[in-house]
Coordinates of all heavy atoms in Angstrom, one line a residue:
M1 N 101.6 145.8 127.3 CA 102.9 145.3 126.8 C 103.8 145.0 128.1 O 103.9 145.9 128.9 CB 103.6 146.2 125.9 CG 104.8 145.7 125.2 SD 105.2 146.8 123.8 CE 106.7 146.2 123.4
A2 N 104.4 143.9 128.1 CA 105.2 143.5 129.3 C 106.6 144.3 129.2 O 107.1 144.5 128.1 CB 105.4 142.0 129.4
D3 N 107.1 144.7 130.4 CA 108.4 145.2 130.4 C 109.5 144.2 130.2 O 109.3 143.0 130.6 CB 108.6 145.9 131.8 CG 107.8 147.1 132.0 OD1 107.4 147.8 131.0 OD2 107.4 147.3 133.1
P4 N 110.5 144.5 129.5 CA 111.6 143.5 129.3 C 112.2 143.2 130.7 O 112.2 144.0 131.6 CB 112.6 144.2 128.4 CG 112.2 145.7 128.4 CD 110.8 145.8 128.8
V5 N 112.7 142.0 130.8 CA 113.3 141.6 132.1 C 114.8 141.4 131.9 O 115.2 140.8 130.9 CB 112.6 140.2 132.5 CG1 113.3 139.7 133.8 CG2 111.2 140.4 132.7
D6 N 115.5 142.0 132.8 CA 117.0 141.8 132.7 C 117.4 140.5 133.4 O 116.7 140.0 134.2 CB 117.7 143.0 133.5 CG 117.5 144.3 132.7 OD1 117.4 144.2 131.5 OD2 117.6 145.3 133.3
G7 N 118.6 140.0 133.0 CA 119.1 138.9 133.7 C 119.1 137.7 132.8 O 118.5 137.7 131.7
P8 N 119.7 136.6 133.2 CA 119.8 135.4 132.4 C 118.4 134.7 132.2 O 117.5 134.9 133.1 CB 120.7 134.5 133.2 CG 120.6 134.9 134.6 CD 120.3 136.4 134.5
P9 N 118.2 134.0 131.1 CA 117.0 133.2 131.0 C 116.8 132.2 132.1 O 117.8 131.8 132.7 CB 117.1 132.6 129.6 CG 118.5 132.5 129.4 CD 119.2 133.7 130.1
P10 N 115.6 131.8 132.4 CA 115.4 130.8 133.5 C 116.1 129.5 133.2 O 116.2 129.1 132.0 CB 113.9 130.7 133.6 CG 113.4 131.3 132.4 CD 114.4 132.2 131.8
A11 N 116.7 128.9 134.2 CA 117.4 127.6 133.9 C 116.4 126.6 133.4 O 115.2 126.5 133.9 CB 118.0 127.2 135.2
R12 N 116.8 125.8 132.5 CA 115.9 124.8 131.9 C 116.4 123.4 132.5 O 117.6 123.1 132.4 CB 116.0 124.8 130.4 CG 115.1 123.8 129.8 CD 115.0 124.0 128.3 NE 114.2 123.0 127.7 CZ 114.7 122.0 126.9 NH1 116.0 122.1 126.6 NH2 114.0 121.1 126.4
K13 N 115.5 122.7 133.0 CA 115.8 121.4 133.6 C 116.2 120.4 132.4 O 115.4 120.4 131.5 CB 114.6 120.9 134.4 CG 114.9 119.5 135.0 CD 113.6 119.1 135.7 CE 113.8 117.6 136.0 NZ 112.5 116.9 136.1
P14 N 117.3 119.8 132.5 CA 117.6 118.9 131.4 C 116.6 117.7 131.4 O 116.1 117.3 132.4 CB 119.0 118.3 131.8 CG 119.3 118.8 133.1 CD 118.3 119.8 133.5
A15 N 116.3 117.3 130.1 CA 115.4 116.2 130.0 C 115.9 114.9 130.5 O 117.2 114.7 130.4 CB 115.0 116.1 128.5
D16 N 115.1 114.0 130.9 CA 115.5 112.7 131.2 C 115.9 112.0 130.0 O 115.4 112.2 128.9 CB 114.3 111.9 131.8 CG 113.9 112.4 133.2 OD1 114.8 112.8 133.9 OD2 112.7 112.3 133.5
V17 N 116.9 111.1 130.1 CA 117.4 110.4 128.9 C 117.2 108.9 129.2 O 117.8 108.4 130.2 CB 118.9 110.7 128.6 CG1 119.3 109.8 127.4 CG2 119.1 112.1 128.3
F18 N 116.4 108.3 128.4 CA 116.1 106.8 128.6 C 116.9 106.0 127.6 O 117.7 106.6 126.8 CB 114.6 106.6 128.4 CG 113.7 107.4 129.3 CD1 112.9 108.4 128.7 CD2 113.8 107.3 130.7 CE1 112.2 109.2 129.6 CE2 113.0 108.1 131.5 CZ 112.2 109.1 130.9
T19 N 116.8 104.7 127.6 CA 117.4 103.8 126.7 C 116.4 103.2 125.8 O 115.4 102.7 126.2 CB 118.2 102.7 127.4 OG1 119.2 103.3 128.2 CG2 118.8 101.8 126.5
A20 N 116.7 103.3 124.5 CA 115.8 102.6 123.5 C 116.6 101.4 123.0 O 117.8 101.6 122.6 CB 115.5 103.6 122.3
R21 N 116.0 100.3 123.0 CA 116.6 99.1 122.6 C 115.9 98.5 121.4 O 114.6 98.4 121.4 CB 116.6 98.0 123.7 CG 117.3 96.7 123.3 CD 117.3 95.7 124.4 NE 117.9 96.2 125.6 CZ 119.3 96.2 125.8 NH1 120.0 95.6 124.8 NH2 119.8 96.6 126.9
L22 N 116.6 98.2 120.3 CA 116.0 97.6 119.2 C 115.8 96.1 119.4 O 116.6 95.6 120.2 CB 116.8 97.9 117.9 CG 117.0 99.4 117.6 CD1 117.9 99.5 116.3 CD2 115.7 100.1 117.4
V23 N 114.9 95.5 118.7 CA 114.8 94.0 118.9 C 116.0 93.3 118.5 O 116.3 92.2 119.0 CB 113.5 93.5 118.2 CG1 112.2 94.0 118.8 CG2 113.6 93.8 116.7
S24 N 116.8 94.0 117.7 CA 118.1 93.4 117.3 C 119.1 93.4 118.4 O 120.2 92.7 118.4 CB 118.7 94.1 116.1 OG 119.0 95.4 116.5
G25 N 118.9 94.2 119.5 CA 119.8 94.2 120.6 C 120.5 95.6 120.7 O 121.1 95.9 121.7
A26 N 120.6 96.3 119.6 CA 121.3 97.6 119.6 C 120.5 98.6 120.5 O 119.3 98.5 120.6 CB 121.4 98.1 118.2
T27 N 121.3 99.5 121.1 CA 120.6 100.5 122.0 C 121.1 101.9 121.6 O 122.1 102.0 120.9 CB 121.0 100.3 123.5 OG1 122.4 100.4 123.6 CG2 120.5 98.9 124.0
F28 N 120.3 102.9 121.9 CA 120.6 104.2 121.7 C 119.9 105.1 122.8 O 118.9 104.7 123.3 CB 120.3 104.7 120.3 CG 118.9 104.6 119.9 CD1 118.0 105.7 120.1 CD2 118.4 103.5 119.3 CE1 116.7 105.7 119.7 CE2 117.1 103.4 118.9 CZ 116.2 104.5 119.1
P29 N 120.6 106.2 123.1 CA 119.9 107.1 124.1 C 118.7 107.7 123.5 O 118.6 108.1 122.4 CB 121.0 108.2 124.3 CG 122.2 107.9 123.5 CD 121.8 106.7 122.6
A30 N 117.6 107.8 124.4 CA 116.3 108.4 124.0 C 115.9 109.4 124.9 O 115.2 109.2 125.9 CB 115.3 107.2 123.9
P31 N 116.3 110.7 124.7 CA 115.8 111.8 125.6 C 114.3 112.0 125.5 O 113.7 111.8 124.5 CB 116.5 113.0 125.0 CG 117.6 112.5 124.1 CD 117.1 111.2 123.6
A32 N 113.8 112.3 126.7 CA 112.3 112.5 126.8 C 111.8 113.6 126.0 O 110.6 113.6 125.6 CB 112.0 112.7 128.3
D33 N 112.6 114.5 125.6 CA 112.2 115.7 124.8 C 112.5 115.6 123.3 O 112.5 116.6 122.6 CB 112.7 117.0 125.4 CG 114.2 117.1 125.3 OD1 114.9 116.0 125.0 OD2 114.7 118.2 125.5
L34 N 112.8 114.4 122.9 CA 113.2 114.2 121.4 C 112.3 113.0 120.9 O 112.2 112.0 121.5 CB 114.6 113.8 121.4 CG 115.4 114.1 120.1 CD1 115.4 115.6 119.8 CD2 116.9 113.6 120.3
P35 N 111.7 113.2 119.7 CA 111.0 112.1 119.1 C 112.0 110.9 118.9 O 113.1 111.1 118.6 CB 110.6 112.6 117.7 CG 110.6 114.1 117.9 CD 111.7 114.4 118.8
L36 N 111.4 109.7 119.1 CA 112.3 108.5 119.0 C 113.0 108.4 117.6 O 114.1 108.0 117.5 CB 111.4 107.3 119.2 CG 111.2 107.0 120.7 CD1 110.1 105.9 120.8 CD2 112.5 106.5 121.4
L37 N 112.3 108.9 116.6 CA 112.9 108.9 115.2 C 114.2 109.7 115.2 O 115.2 109.3 114.7 CB 111.9 109.4 114.2 CG 112.5 109.5 112.8 CD1 112.6 108.1 112.2 CD2 111.6 110.4 111.9
V38 N 114.1 110.9 115.8 CA 115.3 111.8 115.8 C 116.4 111.2 116.7 O 117.6 111.3 116.3 CB 114.9 113.2 116.3 CG1 116.1 114.1 116.4 CG2 113.8 113.8 115.3
A39 N 116.0 110.6 117.8 CA 117.0 110.0 118.7 C 117.7 108.9 117.9 O 118.9 108.8 118.1 CB 116.3 109.5 120.0
A40 N 117.0 108.1 117.2 CA 117.6 107.0 116.4 C 118.5 107.6 115.4 O 119.6 107.1 115.2 CB 116.5 106.2 115.7
E41 N 118.1 108.7 114.7 CA 119.0 109.3 113.7 C 120.3 109.9 114.4 O 121.3 109.8 113.8 CB 118.2 110.4 113.0 CG 117.1 109.9 112.1 CD 116.2 110.9 111.5 OE1 116.1 112.0 112.1 OE2 115.6 110.6 110.5
H42 N 120.1 110.5 115.5 CA 121.3 111.0 116.3 C 122.3 109.9 116.6 O 123.5 110.1 116.7 CB 120.9 111.7 117.5 CG 120.3 113.1 117.3 ND1 119.9 113.9 118.3 CD2 119.9 113.7 116.1 CE1 119.4 115.0 117.7 NE2 119.4 114.9 116.4
A43 N 121.8 108.7 116.7 CA 122.6 107.5 117.0 C 123.2 106.9 115.8 O 123.8 105.8 115.9 CB 121.8 106.5 117.8
G44 N 122.9 107.5 114.6 CA 123.5 107.0 113.4 C 122.6 106.0 112.6 O 123.0 105.4 111.6
L45 N 121.4 105.8 113.1 CA 120.5 104.9 112.4 C 119.8 105.7 111.3 O 119.7 106.9 111.4 CB 119.5 104.3 113.4 CG 120.1 103.5 114.6 CD1 119.1 103.1 115.6 CD2 120.8 102.3 114.1
N46 N 119.2 104.9 110.4 CA 118.5 105.6 109.3 C 117.1 105.0 109.1 O 116.8 104.4 108.0 CB 119.4 105.5 108.0 CG 118.8 106.3 106.9 OD1 118.1 107.3 107.2 ND2 119.1 105.9 105.7
P47 N 116.2 105.1 110.1 CA 114.9 104.5 109.9 C 114.1 105.3 108.8 O 114.4 106.5 108.6 CB 114.3 104.7 111.3 CG 115.0 105.8 112.0 CD 116.4 105.8 111.4
P48 N 113.2 104.6 108.2 CA 112.4 105.3 107.2 C 111.5 106.4 107.8 O 111.1 106.3 108.9 CB 111.5 104.2 106.6 CG 111.5 103.1 107.7 CD 112.8 103.2 108.4
S49 N 111.4 107.5 107.0 CA 110.6 108.6 107.4 C 110.3 109.5 106.2 O 110.9 109.4 105.2 CB 111.3 109.5 108.5 OG 112.3 110.2 107.9
S50 N 109.2 110.3 106.3 CA 108.9 111.2 105.2 C 108.3 112.5 105.8 O 109.0 113.5 106.0 CB 107.9 110.5 104.3 OG 107.6 111.4 103.2
C51 N 107.0 112.5 106.2 CA 106.4 113.7 106.7 C 106.9 114.3 108.0 O 107.0 115.5 108.2 CB 104.9 113.5 106.8 SG 104.4 112.5 108.2
R52 N 107.3 113.4 108.9 CA 107.8 113.7 110.2 C 106.8 114.5 111.1 O 107.2 115.2 112.0 CB 109.1 114.5 110.1 CG 110.2 113.7 109.3 CD 111.4 114.5 109.0 NE 112.3 114.4 110.2 CZ 113.2 113.5 110.4 NH1 113.4 112.5 109.5 NH2 114.0 113.5 111.4
N53 N 105.5 114.3 110.7 CA 104.5 115.0 111.6 C 103.3 114.0 111.9 O 102.3 114.5 112.3 CB 104.0 116.2 110.9 CG 103.3 116.0 109.6 OD1 102.9 114.8 109.3 ND2 103.1 117.0 108.8
G54 N 103.5 112.7 111.8 CA 102.5 111.8 112.2 C 101.4 111.5 111.2 O 100.4 111.0 111.7
T55 N 101.5 111.8 110.0 CA 100.4 111.6 109.1 C 100.7 110.5 108.0 O 99.8 109.9 107.5 CB 100.0 112.9 108.4 OG1 101.1 113.5 107.7 CG2 99.4 113.9 109.4
C56 N 101.9 110.4 107.5 CA 102.2 109.5 106.3 C 102.4 108.1 106.7 O 102.3 107.2 105.9 CB 103.4 110.0 105.6 SG 105.0 109.6 106.3
R57 N 102.7 107.7 107.9 CA 102.9 106.4 108.4 C 104.2 105.7 107.9 O 104.4 104.5 108.2 CB 101.7 105.5 108.1 CG 100.4 106.0 108.7 CD 99.2 105.3 108.2 NE 99.4 103.8 108.2 CZ 98.9 103.1 109.2 NH1 98.2 103.6 110.2 NH2 99.1 101.8 109.2
T58 N 105.0 106.4 107.2 CA 106.3 105.8 106.7 C 107.2 105.3 107.8 O 107.8 104.3 107.6 CB 107.0 106.9 105.9 OG1 106.2 107.3 104.8 CG2 108.4 106.3 105.3
C59 N 107.2 106.0 108.9 CA 108.1 105.6 110.0 C 107.5 104.6 111.0 O 108.2 104.2 112.0 CB 108.4 106.9 110.8 SG 107.0 107.5 111.8
I60 N 106.3 104.0 110.7 CA 105.7 103.1 111.6 C 106.6 102.1 112.2 O 107.5 101.5 111.5 CB 104.4 102.5 111.0 CG1 103.5 101.9 112.1 CG2 104.8 101.4 110.0 CD1 102.1 101.6 111.6
A61 N 106.5 101.9 113.5 CA 107.4 101.0 114.3 C 106.5 100.3 115.3 O 105.3 100.7 115.5 CB 108.5 101.8 115.0
Q62 N 107.0 99.3 115.9 CA 106.3 98.5 116.9 C 107.0 98.6 118.2 O 108.2 98.2 118.3 CB 106.1 97.1 116.5 CG 105.1 96.4 117.4 CD 104.7 95.0 116.9 OE1 105.4 94.4 116.2 NE2 103.5 94.6 117.3
L63 N 106.3 99.0 119.2 CA 106.8 99.1 120.6 C 106.5 97.8 121.2 O 105.4 97.4 121.3 CB 106.1 100.3 121.3 CG 106.7 100.7 122.6 CD1 108.0 101.4 122.4 CD2 105.7 101.8 123.2
T64 N 107.6 97.1 121.6 CA 107.3 95.8 122.3 C 107.4 95.9 123.8 O 107.1 95.0 124.5 CB 108.3 94.7 121.8 OG1 109.6 95.1 122.0 CG2 108.1 94.5 120.3
Q65 N 108.0 97.0 124.3 CA 108.1 97.2 125.7 C 108.2 98.7 126.0 O 108.9 99.4 125.2 CB 109.4 96.5 126.2 CG 109.4 96.2 127.7 CD 110.6 95.4 128.1 OE1 111.0 94.4 127.3 NE2 111.1 95.6 129.2
G66 N 107.6 99.2 127.0 CA 107.7 100.6 127.4 C 106.5 101.4 126.9 O 105.5 100.9 126.3
Q67 N 106.6 102.7 127.1 CA 105.5 103.6 126.7 C 106.0 104.8 126.0 O 107.1 105.3 126.3 CB 104.6 104.0 127.9 CG 103.8 102.9 128.5 CD 103.0 103.4 129.7 OE1 103.4 104.1 130.5 NE2 101.7 103.0 129.6
V68 N 105.2 105.5 125.2 CA 105.5 106.7 124.6 C 104.3 107.7 124.8 O 103.2 107.3 125.1 CB 105.8 106.6 123.1 CG1 107.0 105.7 122.8 CG2 104.6 106.1 122.3
R69 N 104.6 109.0 124.6 CA 103.5 110.0 124.6 C 103.6 110.7 123.3 O 104.7 110.7 122.6 CB 103.7 110.9 125.8 CG 104.9 111.8 125.7 CD 105.1 112.7 126.9 NE 106.4 113.3 127.0 CZ 106.8 114.3 126.3 NH1 105.9 115.0 125.5 NH2 108.0 114.8 126.3
Y70 N 102.5 111.3 122.9 CA 102.5 112.1 121.6 C 102.2 113.6 121.9 O 101.5 113.9 122.9 CB 101.4 111.6 120.7 CG 101.7 110.2 120.2 CD1 101.1 109.1 120.8 CD2 102.5 110.0 119.1 CE1 101.3 107.8 120.2 CE2 102.8 108.8 118.6 CZ 102.2 107.7 119.2 OH 102.4 106.4 118.7
R71 N 102.8 114.4 121.1 CA 102.5 115.8 121.3 C 101.4 116.3 120.4 O 100.9 117.4 120.4 CB 103.7 116.7 120.9 CG 104.7 116.7 122.1 CD 105.8 117.8 121.9 NE 106.6 117.8 123.1 CZ 107.8 118.3 123.1 NH1 108.2 119.0 122.1 NH2 108.5 118.3 124.2
I72 N 100.9 115.3 119.5 CA 99.7 115.6 118.7 C 98.6 114.8 119.2 O 98.8 113.8 119.9 CB 100.0 115.4 117.2 CG1 100.3 113.9 117.0 CG2 101.1 116.3 116.7 CD1 100.5 113.5 115.5
Q73 N 97.4 115.3 118.9 CA 96.2 114.7 119.5 C 95.9 113.3 119.0 O 95.6 112.4 119.8 CB 95.0 115.6 119.2 CG 93.8 115.5 120.2 CD 94.2 115.8 121.6 OE1 95.4 115.8 122.0 NE2 93.2 116.2 122.4
W74 N 96.1 113.0 117.7 CA 95.7 111.7 117.2 C 96.7 111.4 116.1 O 96.4 111.7 114.9 CB 94.3 111.7 116.7 CG 93.9 110.4 116.2 CD1 93.6 110.0 114.9 CD2 93.7 109.2 117.0 NE1 93.3 108.7 114.8 CE2 93.3 108.1 116.1 CE3 93.8 108.9 118.4 CZ2 93.1 106.9 116.6 CZ3 93.5 107.6 118.8 CH2 93.2 106.6 117.9
P75 N 97.8 110.7 116.4 CA 98.6 110.3 115.3 C 97.9 109.3 114.4 O 97.0 108.7 114.8 CB 99.8 109.7 116.0 CG 99.3 109.3 117.3 CD 98.2 110.3 117.7
G76 N 98.4 109.2 113.1 CA 97.7 108.4 112.1 C 97.8 106.9 112.4 O 98.3 106.2 111.5
L77 N 97.2 106.4 113.4 CA 97.1 105.0 113.7 C 95.7 104.7 114.2 O 95.1 105.5 114.8 CB 98.1 104.7 114.9 CG 99.6 104.8 114.7 CD1 100.3 104.7 116.0 CD2 100.1 103.8 113.7
S78 N 95.3 103.5 113.8 CA 93.9 103.0 114.3 C 94.1 102.6 115.7 O 95.2 102.3 116.2 CB 93.5 101.9 113.4 OG 94.3 100.7 113.7
A79 N 92.9 102.5 116.4 CA 92.9 102.0 117.7 C 93.5 100.6 117.8 O 94.2 100.2 118.8 CB 91.5 102.0 118.3
E80 N 93.2 99.8 116.8 CA 93.7 98.4 116.8 C 95.2 98.4 116.7 O 95.9 97.6 117.3 CB 93.1 97.6 115.6 CG 91.6 97.3 115.7 CD 90.7 98.5 115.4 OE1 91.2 99.4 114.7 OE2 89.6 98.5 115.8
E81 N 95.8 99.3 115.8 CA 97.2 99.3 115.7 C 97.9 99.8 117.0 O 98.9 99.3 117.4 CB 97.6 100.3 114.5 CG 97.3 99.7 113.1 CD 97.4 100.8 112.1 OE1 97.1 102.0 112.3 OE2 97.8 100.4 111.0
K82 N 97.3 100.8 117.6 CA 97.8 101.2 118.9 C 97.8 100.1 119.9 O 98.8 99.9 120.6 CB 97.0 102.4 119.4 CG 97.3 103.7 118.7 CD 96.4 104.8 119.3 CE 96.9 106.2 119.1 NZ 96.2 107.2 119.8
A83 N 96.7 99.4 119.9 CA 96.6 98.3 120.9 C 97.6 97.2 120.6 O 98.1 96.5 121.5 CB 95.2 97.6 120.8
E84 N 98.1 97.1 119.4 CA 99.1 96.1 119.0 C 100.5 96.6 119.2 O 101.5 96.0 118.8 CB 98.9 95.6 117.6 CG 97.6 94.8 117.4 CD 97.3 94.5 116.0 OE1 98.1 94.8 115.1 OE2 96.2 93.9 115.7
G85 N 100.6 97.9 119.7 CA 101.9 98.4 120.0 C 102.5 99.3 118.9 O 103.7 99.7 119.0
Y86 N 101.8 99.5 117.8 CA 102.4 100.3 116.7 C 102.5 101.7 117.2 O 101.5 102.3 117.8 CB 101.6 100.1 115.4 CG 101.8 98.7 114.9 CD1 100.8 97.8 115.0 CD2 103.0 98.4 114.3 CE1 100.9 96.5 114.6 CE2 103.1 97.1 113.8 CZ 102.1 96.2 113.9 OH 102.3 94.9 113.5
I87 N 103.5 102.4 116.8 CA 103.7 103.8 117.1 C 104.3 104.5 115.9 O 104.8 103.9 114.9 CB 104.7 104.0 118.3 CG1 106.1 103.5 117.9 CG2 104.2 103.3 119.6 CD1 107.2 103.9 118.9
L88 N 104.2 105.8 115.9 CA 104.8 106.7 114.9 C 106.0 107.4 115.5 O 105.8 108.4 116.2 CB 103.8 107.6 114.3 CG 102.7 106.9 113.5 CD1 101.6 107.9 113.1 CD2 103.2 106.1 112.4
P89 N 107.2 106.9 115.4 CA 108.3 107.4 116.2 C 108.7 108.9 115.8 O 109.4 109.5 116.6 CB 109.5 106.5 115.9 CG 109.1 105.7 114.7 CD 107.6 105.7 114.6
C90 N 108.2 109.4 114.7 CA 108.5 110.8 114.4 C 107.8 111.8 115.3 O 108.2 112.9 115.4 CB 108.1 111.1 112.9 SG 106.4 111.0 112.5
V91 N 106.7 111.3 116.0 CA 106.0 112.1 116.9 C 105.8 111.5 118.3 O 105.0 112.0 119.1 CB 104.6 112.5 116.3 CG1 104.7 113.5 115.2 CG2 103.8 111.3 115.9
A92 N 106.5 110.4 118.5 CA 106.4 109.7 119.8 C 107.7 110.0 120.7 O 108.8 109.8 120.2 CB 106.3 108.2 119.5
Y93 N 107.4 110.3 121.9 CA 108.4 110.6 122.9 C 108.4 109.6 123.9 O 107.4 109.2 124.5 CB 108.2 112.0 123.5 CG 108.2 113.1 122.5 CD1 107.1 113.4 121.6 CD2 109.3 114.0 122.4 CE1 107.1 114.4 120.7 CE2 109.3 115.0 121.5 CZ 108.2 115.2 120.7 OH 108.2 116.2 119.7
P94 N 109.6 109.1 124.3 CA 109.6 108.0 125.4 C 109.3 108.6 126.7 O 109.6 109.7 127.0 CB 111.1 107.5 125.3 CG 111.9 108.7 124.8 CD 110.9 109.4 123.9
V95 N 108.6 107.8 127.5 CA 108.4 108.2 128.9 C 109.2 107.3 129.9 O 109.0 107.3 131.1 CB 106.9 108.2 129.3 CG1 106.1 109.2 128.5 CG2 106.3 106.8 129.1
G96 N 110.0 106.4 129.3 CA 110.8 105.5 130.0 C 111.6 104.7 129.0 O 111.6 105.0 127.8
D97 N 112.4 103.7 129.5 CA 113.1 102.8 128.6 C 112.1 102.1 127.6 O 111.0 101.8 128.1 CB 113.9 101.8 129.3 CG 115.0 102.4 130.1 OD1 115.4 103.6 129.9 OD2 115.5 101.7 131.0
V98 N 112.5 102.0 126.4 CA 111.6 101.3 125.4 C 112.4 100.2 124.7 O 113.6 100.3 124.5 CB 111.0 102.3 124.4 CG1 110.1 103.3 125.1 CG2 112.1 103.1 123.7
V99 N 111.6 99.3 124.1 CA 112.1 98.3 123.2 C 111.2 98.4 122.0 O 110.0 98.4 122.1 CB 112.1 96.9 123.8 CG1 112.6 95.9 122.7 CG2 112.9 96.8 125.1
L100 N 111.9 98.5 120.8 CA 111.0 98.7 119.6 C 111.6 98.1 118.4 O 112.8 97.8 118.3 CB 110.7 100.2 119.4 CG 111.8 101.1 119.0 CD1 111.3 102.4 118.4 CD2 112.7 101.5 120.2
R101 N 110.8 98.0 117.4 CA 111.2 97.4 116.1 C 111.0 98.6 115.1 O 109.8 99.0 114.9 CB 110.3 96.2 115.7 CG 110.8 95.5 114.5 CD 110.2 94.1 114.5 NE 108.7 94.1 114.6 CZ 107.9 93.8 113.6 NH1 108.4 93.6 112.4 NH2 106.6 93.8 113.8
L102 N 112.0 99.1 114.6 CA 111.9 100.2 113.6 C 111.8 99.6 112.2 O 112.1 98.5 111.9 CB 113.2 101.1 113.6 CG 113.4 101.9 114.9 CD1 114.8 102.6 114.9 CD2 112.3 103.0 115.1
G103 N 111.2 100.5 111.3 CA 111.1 100.0 109.9 C 110.2 98.9 109.7 O 110.5 98.0 108.9
V104 N 109.1 98.9 110.3 CA 108.1 97.8 110.2 C 107.5 97.9 108.8 O 107.1 99.0 108.3 CB 106.9 98.0 111.2 CG1 105.8 97.0 111.0 CG2 107.5 97.8 112.6
T105 N 107.3 96.8 108.1 CA 106.6 96.7 106.9 C 105.5 95.8 107.0 O 105.6 94.7 107.7 CB 107.5 96.3 105.7 OG1 108.1 95.0 106.1 CG2 108.6 97.3 105.4
F106 N 104.4 96.1 106.3 CA 103.2 95.2 106.4 C 103.1 94.4 105.1 O 103.5 94.8 104.1 CB 101.9 96.1 106.6 CG 101.9 96.7 107.9 CD1 102.4 98.0 108.1 CD2 101.3 96.1 109.0 CE1 102.3 98.6 109.4 CE2 101.3 96.7 110.2 CZ 101.8 97.9 110.4
Ligands
LIG201 S1 107.4 110.1 109.0 FE1 105.3 110.4 108.4 S2 104.2 109.5 110.1 FE2 106.3 109.5 110.7

């Protein structure tokens, strides 16, 4: 068992904050440590969502510029959908500025 350590917790480096731009032209801050869906909600947007864990596809969006990373191994998208830029913003984190279309319907 480890001994308790006195003193303040280690300083946490603030996350980078990128810009997410919707194809409509609206923008919102997109922190690197926040799923794009949550960042959009913090900006007052109301994109569709349900499971919020990358399985239901309700939140599907299309990334037209930029890149995202996922904290889960395989979000519920086919290889073809990924190649076409579709993302699941409930589990997608920006790695730079992005341009996207939220609320995609097929
Ligand atoms: S809300 Fe279910 S996959 Fe994003």
Side-chain angles (χ1 to χ4, degrees):
M1 186 168 173
D3 292 330
V5 178
D6 289 333
R12 183 168 175 251
K13 181 183 167 209
D16 292 327
V17 178
F18 305 113
T19 298
R21 178 179 303 278
L22 302 179
V23 292
S24 66
T27 62
F28 60 90
D33 63 348
L34 206 60
L36 281 167
L37 178 73
V38 177
E41 291 170 339
H42 284 185
L45 302 172
N46 189 24
S49 69
S50 183
C51 72
R52 304 175 82 88
N53 65 16
T55 56
C56 77
R57 300 169 51 97
T58 301
C59 68
I60 196 164
Q62 189 171 27
L63 192 67
T64 61
Q65 201 172 322
Q67 290 186 312
V68 297
R69 65 183 169 82
Y70 291 101
R71 283 195 175 161
I72 60 175
Q73 206 60 335
W74 183 250
L77 294 168
S78 69
E80 292 79 18
E81 288 170 326
K82 284 181 159 184
E84 293 172 7
Y86 291 103
I87 64 168
L88 296 175
C90 67
V91 290
Y93 298 77
V95 296
D97 294 343
V98 294
V99 179
L100 68 162
R101 187 162 56 104
L102 292 172
V104 173
T105 54
F106 291 94

